[in-house]
Amino acid sequence: MRLRSIVPAVFMASAAVTGGVALALETPPPPSASAPASPDARPVDPEAKRLAHALIEDVLTASHAAEIYGDLQRTLRDVYIPMMREIIQGGYPGVPDPTPEVTTQLAKLLTAMDYMRKAGEELDVALAENRGAIVSDFAAQLAREASRDEIADVRAMLELPAVRKGFDVLYAASKLVTGYTYEDSRVVSEFSAWAKQLDAAKNLKGLPGLDTSSVSVPSAAKVRKAQAVVDDLVRISHLEDNVARVKRFARDVYLPTAPVSEEERAKLSAQIDEFEFTYNVRKGLVLALAPSIVASVLSDADLDTFHRFVLTPSFAKGFDLLGNAVVAATAFTKDDIVQAQKSFEDFDRKAQVRERAKKDGEKVTDEWQALIDKWREKLADRLSPETRQGLERSLEDLDKTGSPI
């Protein structure tokens, strides 16, 4: 087996264990006139299979695949489906009541989403019952095509700190989509609707450098009220911590490891210095002027409303999730990157040495496809006829008419 092919093969196994809906609904390719013999007929090195099995399990754990899949299911069930129902019924904050034509299209989308939910719940049972068999089958196929040394090389690469931290970044990024509740979505939508209602054109006249003839100087009490809003917003946003992490990462990790010439590295260093100087100057200016500007732009009632939104748990959660993503993305060290670069170069060099003929690669691809087809059919059989037919019809309907969003 070509060494480069092991990595996608391992991730195919992980997807088969966690992505049941997509796998069960995948359309199988047309039968080939020269279909390969069943891979079960080929010998398997028991030790290679054990190593492959451990590798797949390790990827499943390190990649947070089960957690991400579970979060997506929960978000679909508890956030997006209820949100879509309320939008269709009318009265969802920040969204105008849909026209009859739009309502029809949204109803089609809601139907598809609900069938996806049902399919996911039905396949969860099948995946739980067959998890061990799926991992075993994919481990056996990997052992047929890869040697113990090849599997060990991939395992060593996946144990690199940079790779593990990369998985953590993907998990933290997924939380930016799945980390909210239905109530959070309503709060964000209410805030957006309120912000749109502000008389922006009139209020912008109070900004520095623009016509201020129609704007009165805010009272000291109003400026203090605006100061409280700004202070709370800066506090819950973790702005200073996030910027400090990004600056450290840029200077201590990205700058010395970026694959550029020394001339380009010097330019990057100058750009980082310029950003840091400009940020510090502007930060002081903005923090000093913001309370007065906000007090000039917003009325007392608007300030109270803005402050109420800033202090909601939903606002804090949003900034916390963003902060977690920044922490994960900047957790890499210079040693992590240098070690990963060297390991990837060694891995690629071995892949080129061990690469076999293209014909063999095509045969391997066919056998992996046969294994995927096997589990696609088994999982598809576990969907109830009503769920499968309903989901297929709803997806076809959306494909013909187009999604309304």
Side-chain angles (χ1 to χ4, degrees):
M1 184 180 191
R2 289 180 292 179
L3 189 56
R4 292 190 187 95
S5 302
I6 301 179
V7 176
V10 170
F11 282 97
M12 277 195 292
S14 302
V17 174
T18 57
V21 176
L23 185 63
L25 292 176
E26 179 186 348
T27 302
S32 172
S34 57
S38 169
D40 295 336
R42 300 172 62 191
V44 176
D45 177 0
E47 178 61 15
K49 181 180 178 181
R50 185 191 69 79
L51 292 173
H53 194 287
L55 174 61
I56 293 171
E57 290 286 4
D58 189 37
V59 170
L60 284 169
T61 300
S63 66
H64 311 286
E67 292 92 335
I68 293 173
Y69 179 63
D71 288 343
L72 288 171
Q73 284 186 302
R74 180 200 61 79
T75 305
L76 176 65
R77 181 188 67 242
D78 297 342
V79 181
Y80 290 114
I81 289 178
M83 180 193 305
M84 189 61 63
R85 286 200 182 105
E86 190 166 356
I87 291 174
I88 291 172
Q89 294 169 356
Y92 188 81
V95 178
D97 292 347
T99 64
E101 293 79 8
V102 173
T103 298
T104 300
Q105 285 296 92
L106 290 176
K108 292 178 181 179
L109 179 58
L110 176 60
T111 299
M113 292 168 65
D114 205 36
Y115 275 118
M116 288 183 67
R117 175 193 61 79
K118 292 178 182 178
E121 292 173 353
E122 292 178 11
L123 287 175
D124 277 349
V125 178
L127 286 170
E129 293 174 354
N130 292 281
R131 184 187 187 282
I134 294 174
V135 174
S136 179
D137 271 5
F138 276 85
Q141 179 62 19
L142 191 56
R144 290 186 186 94
E145 307 299 344
S147 68
R148 300 180 188 182
D149 288 343
E150 289 174 321
I151 297 172
D153 285 340
V154 176
R155 179 64 179 269
M157 186 180 68
L158 291 173
E159 287 181 347
L160 292 170
V163 173
R164 296 293 175 139
K165 291 177 182 180
F167 284 134
D168 291 341
V169 172
L170 293 177
Y171 185 38
S174 74
K175 284 291 188 179
L176 294 173
V177 178
T178 63
Y180 299 94
T181 65
Y182 177 63
E183 182 57 34
D184 294 332
S185 72
R186 286 186 59 90
V187 170
V188 172
S189 189
E190 286 173 0
F191 174 75
S192 298
W194 169 78
K196 290 178 182 177
Q197 292 173 357
L198 294 176
D199 187 359
K202 176 181 177 181
N203 290 330
L204 281 176
K205 293 179 181 179
L207 293 177
L210 299 179
D211 178 19
T212 59
S213 59
S214 62
V215 178
S216 60
V217 177
S219 66
K222 193 176 181 184
V223 172
R224 285 194 297 271
K225 181 183 289 190
Q227 181 73 63
V229 177
V230 172
D231 289 345
D232 283 333
L233 185 59
V234 172
R235 173 179 56 81
I236 70 168
S237 69
H238 313 296
L239 177 63
E240 285 298 290
D241 288 342
N242 290 339
V243 172
R245 290 180 186 278
V246 172
K247 289 194 297 185
R248 180 206 63 81
F249 178 82
R251 183 170 297 283
D252 298 343
V253 181
Y254 179 72
L255 181 61
T257 61
V260 297
S261 66
E262 289 307 311
E263 182 180 355
E264 289 296 320
R265 203 180 309 279
K267 291 181 180 179
L268 284 173
S269 179
Q271 290 171 357
I272 292 173
D273 289 340
E274 182 181 358
F275 166 79
E276 188 166 0
F277 174 78
T278 303
Y279 170 78
N280 288 332
V281 171
R282 290 182 176 177
K283 178 187 71 174
L285 182 63
V286 169
L287 291 181
L289 295 178
S292 297
I293 295 175
V294 171
S296 299
V297 170
L298 302 181
S299 66
D300 279 293
D302 289 334
L303 279 172
D304 292 337
T305 301
F306 189 18
H307 206 179
R308 176 174 61 82
F309 278 117
V310 167
L311 294 177
T312 59
S314 299
F315 259 58
K317 180 188 293 185
F319 283 119
D320 287 346
L321 292 174
L322 178 60
N324 292 340
V326 172
V327 169
T330 58
F332 300 89
T333 66
K334 177 183 174 181
D335 289 341
D336 292 340
I337 303 301
V338 171
Q339 182 185 22
Q341 288 173 338
K342 183 179 183 302
S343 297
F344 292 151
E345 290 171 0
D346 292 342
F347 185 85
D348 193 58
R349 187 161 46 249
K350 290 179 180 179
Q352 294 178 27
V353 172
R354 294 171 175 171
E355 190 169 291
R356 296 179 181 175
K358 181 179 179 182
K359 181 179 179 182
D360 182 58
E362 291 174 345
K363 182 182 71 173
V364 168
T365 300
D366 288 341
E367 291 179 349
W368 280 106
Q369 185 61 56
L371 183 58
I372 292 173
D373 291 343
K374 168 187 172 181
W375 281 106
R376 180 196 61 77
E377 293 170 1
K378 285 192 174 185
L379 292 175
D381 287 343
R382 294 296 298 272
L383 284 175
S384 67
E386 190 273 335
T387 297
R388 181 168 185 174
Q389 292 169 12
L391 182 54
E392 289 176 346
R393 284 196 306 268
S394 62
L395 292 177
E396 288 174 2
D397 199 12
L398 278 179
D399 187 55
K400 292 177 182 177
T401 61
S403 175
I405 59 176

